[in-house]
Amino acid sequence: MNDTLLIAVYAFVGAAATGLAGAGALRLLRRRSLTASLAVVAAVGVVAMLAGTLAVAWAMFLSPHDLTVVTTVVAMAAVVSLATALLLGRRVVARSRELAVAARSFGDNGDFAAPDGPATAELDALSRELAATSARLAESRDRERALETSRRELVAWISHDLRTPLAGLRAMSEALEDGVAADPPRYLRQMRTEVERLNAMVGDLFELSRIHAGTLPLTPSRISLYDLIGDALAGADPLAREHGVRLVGDHVDAVPVEVDGKEMSRVLGNLLVNAIRRTPADGTVAVSAARSSEGVVLSVSDGCGGIPEEDLPRVFDTGWRGTHARTPPAGAGLGLAIVRGIVEAHQGRATVRNIPGGCRFEVTLPAAPG
């Protein structure tokens, strides 16, 4: 056999034996520190070279002097390699521990701050991911606090709004039962009004619960916004007359949309009722609809005088009624939350902004396919 081939075979056998032993050692140390694994890897490289050299020396009958020289050189290389591996391992482990300490702030409602100093590409990528996760957790905590605040306000306002009509119903029923009601038919009409109001409130709560649970059933169909707005204006006209408010729907394009007609009618109805109740007598509530670059925009403008800038982000929150709407006729603060829920279920967006003399609620919906 060719001498070169023979040397290669003996070197491979010696190195392979060392590699198998190193693989076994790495398997045993897989749950230990990275420093130990790096030391094993460095040792395997050096010992594999030494084993191959010894195998070749034994096969080729290398002189004792030459074998001693080769062994000494390999031993020095092993010392340097192991020292380098331990140094690198300690740096990586120290950086990992710093990341672990910094990551503990997640559980303490804190923000993640990456440790200073150089790091390997993998640890640097891990730091960036932890920072991004920290930002998402902070946003989630803020949303949770806002939702909890809205829930508490909703419970307080609903309790107040339920207690008022229930107390009136009890008083009127006791008056009818005791025979002291001066005008029983009027009492009965008032009781019916209160019952209808309670029924509407319970209906809003049920609708909102389905929206939050993601179980709102939608049956989309192709509808013209012109017809949808016309029906909504007709339904809101009696309330507008009662409040002395003029309804205007002159700028409405016959734009087709794919929506659930019943739910979208509820959206328009809630927006119109909200606008009429906030607009003073002799004021105007205007409705318009037109195409835009984002789809179809439906807007309802009122004469409420505007909303404080700090309150604009909370207008669509559950239970929010503003500082000027604490009386029962204003409702339980669910109407606009239902508007946003239904619009978002249609893959749309509901926004509000101030305009001269009032504010404008805008609903953006995807345009119907042509």
Side-chain angles (χ1 to χ4, degrees):
M1 183 181 292
N2 185 280
D3 289 344
T4 303
L5 181 59
L6 187 61
I7 291 173
V9 170
Y10 276 101
F12 175 78
V13 171
T18 304
L20 290 175
L26 288 175
R27 180 175 177 81
L28 293 175
L29 297 174
R30 63 185 182 275
R31 297 184 183 278
R32 302 294 296 274
S33 171
L34 180 62
T35 304
S37 298
L38 288 174
V40 170
V41 170
V44 166
V46 176
V47 173
M49 184 176 65
L50 179 61
T53 302
L54 292 176
V56 171
W58 174 80
M60 304 299 291
F61 301 103
L62 198 67
S63 67
H65 176 268
D66 293 342
L67 183 60
T68 300
V69 171
V70 171
T71 304
T72 302
V73 171
V74 172
M76 293 302 99
V79 171
V80 174
S81 298
L82 288 175
T84 304
L86 292 174
L87 179 61
L88 176 61
R90 287 175 62 86
R91 287 181 56 191
V92 173
V93 169
R95 182 70 177 190
S96 299
R97 288 174 178 168
E98 291 174 355
L99 283 176
V101 172
R104 289 174 190 165
S105 63
F106 286 177
D108 301 329
N109 293 335
D111 295 328
F112 174 79
D116 296 329
T120 63
E122 292 78 8
L123 291 179
D124 189 56
L126 178 60
S127 296
R128 290 195 299 270
E129 288 297 327
L130 288 173
T133 301
S134 174
R136 289 194 294 269
L137 287 174
E139 293 176 1
S140 178
R141 286 193 294 266
D142 292 340
R143 287 196 301 269
E144 183 63 26
R145 293 191 190 101
L147 288 174
E148 184 60 29
T149 300
S150 295
R151 281 193 290 266
R152 285 197 298 266
E153 292 176 351
L154 176 62
V155 170
W157 292 339
I158 285 291
S159 300
H160 174 268
D161 289 349
L162 288 176
R163 187 182 298 114
T164 301
L166 287 174
L169 287 171
R170 182 173 62 183
M172 287 184 286
S173 62
E174 289 176 353
L176 290 171
E177 183 179 1
D178 295 339
V180 297
D183 188 357
R186 184 176 65 84
Y187 274 57
L188 292 173
R189 288 193 299 271
Q190 184 61 31
M191 291 174 68
R192 180 179 179 83
T193 300
E194 296 297 339
V195 169
E196 289 177 350
R197 184 171 149 227
L198 288 172
N199 182 67
M201 196 180 303
V202 172
D204 285 346
L205 285 171
F206 180 66
E207 181 86 351
L208 197 61
S209 68
R210 291 196 300 177
I211 290 173
H212 287 171
T215 59
L216 181 66
L218 296 178
T219 307
S221 60
R222 194 179 183 88
I223 303 174
S224 171
L225 272 184
Y226 185 86
D227 297 333
L228 200 63
I229 292 175
D231 294 341
L233 290 174
D237 186 65
L239 180 65
R241 292 178 180 275
E242 179 183 344
H243 285 75
V245 174
R246 188 166 64 99
L247 292 179
V248 177
D250 295 336
H251 303 286
V252 179
D253 296 340
V255 181
V257 288
E258 290 277 352
V259 296
D260 185 302
K262 178 182 177 182
E263 296 299 336
M264 197 51 59
S265 294
R266 182 163 196 162
V267 167
L268 284 170
N270 285 359
L271 290 176
L272 287 172
V273 168
N274 178 75
I276 291 170
R277 286 176 172 169
R278 301 298 183 271
T279 301
D282 296 329
T284 300
V285 171
V287 183
S288 64
R291 292 184 183 273
S292 74
S293 58
E294 299 180 349
V296 178
V297 178
L298 185 155
S299 64
V300 177
S301 304
D302 60 35
C304 66
I307 299 173
E309 291 295 330
E310 63 273 14
D311 287 342
L312 283 175
R314 295 199 58 201
V315 168
F316 292 99
D317 288 353
T318 301
W320 187 86
R321 293 190 294 186
T323 56
H324 302 293
R326 301 291 182 176
T327 56
L334 305 181
L336 294 178
I338 290 173
V339 166
R340 181 175 63 179
I342 294 175
V343 170
E344 291 180 352
H346 284 83
Q347 308 304 314
R349 185 179 73 254
T351 58
V352 61
R353 59 188 174 90
N354 286 323
I355 59 175
C359 58
R360 175 175 295 161
F361 288 84
E362 293 185 346
V363 171
T364 304
L365 297 170

